[in-house]
Amino acid sequence: MPVCSWFTFLCMRENKSQKPRKVHPNQGRYDAMVVWKGKADKPIQKSGSLAFEVILKPAQNDAPLRPISPPKNNRVVLSEEDIKLKLKKAEERRQSLEAQRLEQLAKERERAQEVVAKAQQESKEFSHATKEKLRRSMEANKENREAQIKALQERLREHSIKVTETCKQSDKMMEDFQEKINSKISQRFEVYEENRQSQLQSMLTRLKEHANHIQEVCQASENMGKVCEEKLVSKMENALRNREEQLRALQERLLEHERRIEEVQKKKMGIQEDEDA
């Protein structure tokens, strides 16, 4: 697909400063416009061919209209008296304007002074009212402060009375409490002493019983020692007797053994003699 780029170039008109060329009355002026379409739709056999279209249209006069200046021959020539008269009128107008401006400034200044005076009067009235209000409030505060001080003093006096009464009651309660504590301590000491005496008596009784028990045990041990000695002696005698019997039996067995040995030797000797014979 061929790439088509359209560019339009508008031909420049002739310069306005140059004089226009004469054109035949039956012919009009035209503007030339060249349109470039890129490659031609129906390309020629030559490669890289281009197609151009030239369009002619009537010329347009777009120049703005200039204002018409007055003719130079209609100017009025003023004389010296006319100039002086105009200057005098201008001076009178200036003076009247200055007078009007000064009068307006005076009115504005007078109005400003009235405003300032009114503001000062209002400020004085406001300050006076404020001072009066402050004085009244200070008097009211003073009265309230005195009343508060009196009420506070009354409350402090009542509080001091209550404190003294409370101190008296607390002292009395402390005395009663001390008496109760002392009585309880004395009772506890008495009970403790009684318990200690009873414990000592019970300990003495147990010690006596223990001493009696020890004495009984010692006596029983002495009796048992005698019985044990007798039993031990009898056991030793029996042991010696048994030992003597065992030794006697052992001697008898040894004698029997020696006798058997002699018999065996005699038999061996008799057998050897028989073999020798």
Side-chain angles (χ1 to χ4, degrees), residues 11-253:
C11 294
M12 301 296 294
R13 296 181 182 178
E14 294 178 355
N15 193 358
K16 299 292 183 181
S17 61
Q18 295 179 359
K19 292 182 180 181
R21 292 181 297 174
K22 292 182 179 181
V23 183
H24 195 272
N26 294 328
Q27 293 180 358
R29 297 179 62 188
Y30 290 90
D31 290 335
M33 183 173 63
V34 179
V35 179
W36 176 48
K37 292 184 179 180
K39 291 187 177 181
D41 294 336
K42 295 179 180 180
I44 308 173
Q45 293 180 358
K46 293 181 180 181
S47 61
S49 61
L50 297 175
F52 296 93
E53 291 184 1
V54 179
I55 301 172
L56 298 177
K57 65 176 182 177
Q60 295 179 358
N61 189 7
D62 297 331
L65 298 175
R66 296 176 64 184
I68 300 172
S69 60
K72 296 180 180 180
N73 54 4
N74 292 332
R75 292 181 180 178
V76 179
V77 179
L78 298 175
S79 62
E80 187 177 355
E81 292 179 356
D82 294 335
I83 292 170
K84 288 181 179 180
L85 183 62
K86 285 186 177 182
L87 290 173
K88 186 178 180 181
K89 288 181 179 179
E91 185 67 21
E92 289 177 357
R93 285 196 302 273
R94 187 179 64 78
Q95 290 178 359
S96 65
L97 288 173
E98 287 181 357
Q100 289 177 2
R101 192 176 293 109
L102 290 173
E103 185 179 359
Q104 187 176 1
L105 289 173
K107 288 180 180 180
E108 289 179 356
R109 190 179 294 110
E110 186 178 358
R111 194 179 299 111
Q113 289 177 357
E114 290 177 357
V115 170
V116 170
K118 187 176 180 181
Q120 289 178 356
Q121 184 67 24
E122 289 179 355
S123 178
K124 286 180 181 179
E125 291 177 357
F126 179 74
S127 63
H128 181 69
T130 305
K131 287 179 181 179
E132 186 67 21
K133 187 176 180 180
L134 182 62
R135 185 181 62 78
R136 290 176 183 175
S137 65
M138 288 177 69
E139 289 178 356
N141 288 330
K142 187 177 180 181
E143 292 176 358
N144 293 330
R145 186 167 175 274
E146 290 177 355
Q148 289 176 0
I149 289 170
K150 288 180 180 179
L152 183 62
Q153 289 176 354
E154 185 67 23
R155 287 199 298 272
L156 288 173
R157 187 176 62 79
E158 292 177 357
H159 182 67
S160 63
I161 292 169
K162 288 182 180 179
V163 167
T164 53
E165 291 178 356
T166 306
C167 289
K168 289 179 181 179
Q169 291 178 0
S170 63
D171 292 337
K172 188 176 181 181
M173 288 174 66
M174 286 295 293
E175 290 176 358
D176 296 338
F177 181 73
Q178 191 69 30
E179 290 178 358
K180 289 180 181 179
I181 292 294
N182 292 328
S183 63
K184 286 183 179 180
I185 290 170
S186 61
Q187 289 176 2
R188 286 186 179 180
F189 270 115
E190 291 176 358
V191 172
Y192 175 73
E193 188 67 24
E194 291 177 358
N195 292 329
R196 192 172 69 83
Q197 292 294 332
S198 62
Q199 288 176 1
L200 288 173
Q201 290 293 332
S202 62
M203 286 177 69
L204 289 172
T205 305
R206 286 199 298 274
L207 287 171
K208 287 179 180 180
E209 291 177 356
H210 185 64
N212 294 328
H213 180 67
I214 289 170
Q215 190 174 1
E216 291 176 357
V217 169
C218 290
Q219 190 174 0
S221 64
E222 288 178 357
N223 295 328
M224 288 178 67
K226 291 178 180 180
V227 173
C228 288
E229 286 179 359
E230 291 177 356
K231 288 181 179 181
L232 184 61
V233 169
S234 62
K235 283 182 179 181
M236 289 177 71
E237 289 177 354
N238 292 326
L240 288 172
R241 199 177 296 113
N242 292 327
R243 186 176 179 80
E244 288 177 356
E245 290 177 357
Q246 288 176 0
L247 288 172
R248 194 179 297 112
L250 183 61
Q251 288 176 0
E252 289 178 356
R253 284 199 299 273

